[in-house]
Amino acid sequence: MCSFLGSRGRGSSTTHWIVTLLVVAAAFSVLGLSARATSAFGLDGTSPRHTWVIHQDGMKPLRYWKILQNGGLSREQPPSRPEQIWDNPLLRPAFDTNTTTVVITSTGRAAYLHCRVNHLGNRAVTWLRKRDAHVLTVGLFSYTSDQRFTPLHSEGSPDWVLKITSPQKRDSGIYECQVSTEPKISRAFNLSVVESMAVIEGSRDIHMSPGNTLNLTCSTTEPADLPSYFYWYHNGEVVHYSGKKDMAVQTAEGTSRLGVVDVGPEHSGNYTCVPENAAPATVTVYVLRGEHPAAMQRGESSTAVPQVSFLILLAVCSVLIVLAR
């Protein structure tokens, strides 16, 4: 009896191992690790899928496995990592050198520094002031309490602009546009803030006879930063020349000309030229009335009486001093 059970137990064990071997063989066939399945990895013209997964092979280090069309896995190494766009010399961030790096503006007139970067990708553009290495902006964020410095950028544009509102002479200097590559790249911009002044050609005092034509020409002292518009004032009020036959203004190439035909006493007084970006200039026009300028008859001639009295008094004092000696 015992021998029968022992022989039966050995038969059961043999059957168990046979079943186990069949299961293992089937698993190898499904996984494609047989010689026939391995030949399908490209030797028989089968094109594998391009999906890569990571598989843990027991206690061994991680290996790469490739899923094939027939469901098998290949231990072949995956292709090399695709070259990132910033590793390509033709696609790395680069400055557009066609933009000017020398900017001249007048005090009070907004200055714009244009930094154009091609192939920026996910990099950030930083503006900083060179003299104190102070970061002004990063991207579209400001990092200064001075609200005159503002970053400007339109989505999809390579242009990153630093706007300086109401610049002063102290704002002159070097500003750097930096890109956060490795190594970092930068481009320097030179800002010059000048104090421009208006100049009216000719004398500051103009004497005219009634019926003549008054011509005033106004320009500025800084030809590098020409104004785009001018204002003219007569005795503190804006000159409205539109629709008037006796008055005209022409402005071109940083120069403004005021013309008044058939002048009369009403045209006497102060004329002030105010350019967009410069300090104003003033001249005084005297339209004669008979022998005396109209401006003098409004009050200037009355100063002659005190001057004569002072001279007579001075002469009397001199005579008294001589007699006393």
Side-chain angles (χ1 to χ4, degrees), residues 42-61:
L43 299 178
D44 59 353
T46 302
S47 60
R49 300 183 202 172
H50 295 290
T51 303
W52 293 89
V53 296
I54 297 177
H55 179 73
Q56 176 70 43
D57 188 7
M59 298 302 293
K60 297 179 181 180

Side-chain angles (χ1 to χ4, degrees), residues 189-211:
F189 291 77
N190 188 357
L191 174 65
S192 296
V193 182
V194 296
E195 291 183 347
S196 184
M197 300 184 62
V199 177
I200 299 178
E201 296 180 2
S203 173
R204 295 178 59 88
D205 296 321
I206 301 175
H207 300 270
M208 302 185 64
S209 299

Side-chain angles (χ1 to χ4, degrees), residues 143-316:
Y143 286 83
T144 175
S145 59
D146 193 339
Q147 298 182 357
R148 297 180 303 126
F149 295 91
T150 308
L152 302 177
H153 175 70
S154 298
E155 186 175 357
S157 170
D159 203 6
W160 294 82
V161 182
L162 178 65
K163 178 183 178 182
I164 307 174
T165 306
S166 299
Q168 305 300 316
K169 291 199 68 175
R170 66 177 183 274
D171 295 318
S172 297
I174 304 297
Y175 293 81
E176 271 195 6
C177 173
Q178 296 183 351
V179 179
S180 58
T181 54
E182 187 61 41
K184 175 188 66 181
I185 60 174
S186 62
R187 194 166 191 228
F189 291 77
N190 188 357
L191 174 65
S192 296
V193 182
V194 296
E195 291 183 347
S196 184
M197 300 184 62
V199 177
I200 299 178
E201 296 180 2
S203 173
R204 295 178 59 88
D205 296 321
I206 301 175
H207 300 270
M208 302 185 64
S209 299
N212 289 337
T213 299
L214 171 66
N215 290 305
L216 299 177
T217 300
C218 180
S219 58
T220 58
T221 57
E222 289 295 337
D225 185 32
L226 298 178
S228 56
Y229 60 86
F230 293 76
Y231 285 108
W232 284 94
Y233 291 83
H234 178 217
N235 292 329
E237 297 183 358
V238 177
V239 174
H240 298 286
Y241 52 87
S242 179
K244 291 187 176 181
K245 296 182 179 180
D246 63 338
M247 192 172 296
V249 174
Q250 296 179 345
T251 301
E253 299 180 354
T255 301
S256 182
R257 294 178 175 85
L258 171 65
V260 182
V261 298
D262 193 19
V263 297
E266 68 276 12
H267 296 121
S268 298
N270 295 327
Y271 286 83
T272 303
C273 170
V274 183
E276 168 201 8
N277 60 335
T282 301
V283 296
T284 303
V285 175
Y286 302 92
V287 179
L288 302 179
R289 286 181 179 176
E291 297 181 357
H292 302 285
M296 292 179 60
Q297 292 187 359
R298 291 198 302 266
E300 286 85 340
S301 58
S302 60
T303 59
V305 174
Q307 290 179 354
V308 172
S309 301
F310 176 75
L311 293 176
I312 295 175
L313 179 61
L314 182 61
V316 171

Side-chain angles (χ1 to χ4, degrees), residues 5-199:
L5 292 174
S7 63
R8 188 174 179 179
R10 287 192 296 272
S12 176
S13 176
T14 302
T15 303
H16 173 75
W17 281 107
I18 291 173
V19 173
T20 302
L21 291 174
L22 290 175
V23 172
V24 172
F28 271 84
S29 178
V30 172
L31 293 175
L33 297 180
S34 64
R36 181 175 56 82
T38 304
S39 66
F41 295 162
L43 299 178
D44 59 353
T46 302
S47 60
R49 300 183 202 172
H50 295 290
T51 303
W52 293 89
V53 296
I54 297 177
H55 179 73
Q56 176 70 43
D57 188 7
M59 298 302 293
K60 297 179 181 180
L62 293 177
R63 294 184 181 180
Y64 291 94
W65 296 74
K66 182 168 62 179
I67 301 176
L68 304 178
Q69 288 180 344
N70 60 5
L73 293 176
S74 169
R75 290 175 179 267
E76 297 177 3
Q77 291 296 321
S80 60
R81 175 181 62 84
E83 184 180 31
Q84 301 188 37
I85 60 172
W86 52 80
D87 292 335
N88 188 332
L90 298 179
L91 296 179
R92 292 176 182 171
F95 294 108
D96 184 346
T97 57
N98 293 323
T99 57
T100 181
T101 57
V102 178
V103 178
I104 301 175
T105 189
S106 301
T107 53
R109 186 178 189 179
Y112 298 85
L113 308 183
H114 292 264
C115 180
R116 292 180 184 172
V117 185
N118 297 321
H119 312 299
L120 181 62
N122 60 353
R123 301 300 200 268
V125 174
T126 300
W127 279 102
L128 61 84
R129 188 168 50 209
K130 186 69 173 179
R131 73 168 183 264
D132 54 2
H134 182 69
V135 174
L136 302 172
T137 65
V138 177
L140 291 176
F141 297 94
S142 295
Y143 286 83
T144 175
S145 59
D146 193 339
Q147 298 182 357
R148 297 180 303 126
F149 295 91
T150 308
L152 302 177
H153 175 70
S154 298
E155 186 175 357
S157 170
D159 203 6
W160 294 82
V161 182
L162 178 65
K163 178 183 178 182
I164 307 174
T165 306
S166 299
Q168 305 300 316
K169 291 199 68 175
R170 66 177 183 274
D171 295 318
S172 297
I174 304 297
Y175 293 81
E176 271 195 6
C177 173
Q178 296 183 351
V179 179
S180 58
T181 54
E182 187 61 41
K184 175 188 66 181
I185 60 174
S186 62
R187 194 166 191 228
F189 291 77
N190 188 357
L191 174 65
S192 296
V193 182
V194 296
E195 291 183 347
S196 184
M197 300 184 62
V199 177

